[in-house]
Structures are given as structure tokens and as C-alpha cells.
Amino acid sequence: MTWKKFSGEILNSPIIQEVEQTIEREYQMGNRLKVCIGTDSQVKGKITDFATVIVFLREQKGGFMYIHQERSTQKMTIKERMLSEVQKSIECAYSLCNLLDLYDVDLEVHADINTNPSFKSNAALHEAMGYILSMGFVFKAKPEAFASSYCANKMVQ
């Protein structure tokens, strides 16, 4: 799985190793961290672009992110696509949760799903929330889900 920085620079080491080095570097600089993971997708003809982001928030000092992008040709309903986004975020969060616990870094999983029933994505809200919470993660949906709704969204537009 290939990850990159927002600048486009490709990470040469595995993401878990990169995250650990990042946490250690940020802690040495005296920064308190929180990690937010989210995925967004965009359908472009017969292709669906997905972007998963790991957003590091420095308390009172901004943030930065790592990005993984992939494409799918699988045809999906809106609900299937929303749940696929959530699955990608959960897989990422699950791979990092032990490391984040070790360093006492708070973790949130963000879903690009609207809490307003008049939006199509709302059809997946209950399943997504149940999936994320049942895995033991903190769940955020729109408008609080900036990792998916803004950061990942920027990468698939």
C-alpha cells in the first residue's frame, strides 16, 4: 500500500513505521497529537477514486496528513460506497490503534456521511456508526468529520 505526503512525496517506509517516527518527532518538539482517519470517494464515469487520510492534529499548532489513494471499477450503490469508505478508514485505524495507544494518542474515525436525512449518504449512517463504534473507535459524521469531508475530499476532486 503506497502512502504519500500532501506535497506528493511518496513514503518509502511502511505507514506504521512512518507514523511511529512522526509521533516521536512531534513529541520531541513538545507537541500533543490527535489522529483523525477518514476516507472519501468520487465517482468519475466507470471509475471510483478513493482517498484515505491520516490527519495529525497538533494541539494549537495546525496539522498535516498522509494520503493513500486507490481506484475501483466496481459498480456500487451510494450506500455500498459509503460503507466501503468506512471500511477503508477502519482498516487503517485498526492497523494503527495499538501504536497510537502505546503513545497515548487520541484517535477518531471520520465518516463522510451526512446526519441530515434529506441527503443520500444518510442511508448508511446507522450501519457506519455501528461499525465504527463496535470496533471501539470514536465516531464523527458530518459536519464534524473534517478528515473525510475536507481532507480526503480534496484528494479525490
Side-chain angles (χ1 to χ4, degrees), residues 42-96:
Q42 182 75 41
V43 178
K44 299 173 182 172
K46 294 184 179 185
I47 303 285
T48 303
D49 285 332
F50 288 91
T52 300
V53 296
I54 302 168
V55 179
F56 286 84
L57 296 176
R58 297 180 191 111
E59 193 172 88
Q60 311 256 330
K61 294 183 183 175
F64 57 95
M65 66 181 174
Y66 296 129
I67 304 128
H68 169 70
Q69 291 181 274
E70 59 188 278
R71 291 187 153 176
S72 173
T73 56
Q74 182 180 344
K75 188 169 174 58
M76 294 179 250
T77 66
I78 184 77
K79 187 174 183 178
E80 289 169 331
R81 190 163 54 93
M82 296 297 104
L83 293 174
S84 184
E85 290 175 9
V86 168
Q87 179 182 0
K88 290 174 188 309
S89 295
I90 285 176
E91 286 172 0
C92 180
Y94 188 73
S95 72
L96 298 175

Side-chain angles (χ1 to χ4, degrees), residues 94-141:
Y94 188 73
S95 72
L96 298 175
C97 66
N98 288 338
L99 178 65
L100 297 175
D101 285 347
L102 181 67
Y103 286 92
D104 195 29
V105 176
D106 291 337
L107 170 64
E108 295 177 356
V109 176
H110 292 192
D112 187 39
I113 296 175
N114 208 302
T115 54
N116 184 333
S118 64
F119 287 85
K120 290 180 184 176
S121 67
N122 184 264
L125 179 65
H126 295 294
E127 288 92 336
M129 184 168 45
Y131 189 9
I132 293 168
L133 292 173
S134 71
M135 292 296 291
F137 299 123
V138 175
F139 166 79
K140 298 285 183 183

Side-chain angles (χ1 to χ4, degrees), residues 26-48:
E26 291 294 324
Y27 277 6
Q28 285 174 0
M29 293 189 304
N31 294 323
R32 176 95 176 110
L33 296 172
K34 176 163 81 171
V35 169
C36 303
I37 296 173
T39 302
D40 195 16
S41 61
Q42 182 75 41
V43 178
K44 299 173 182 172
K46 294 184 179 185
I47 303 285
T48 303

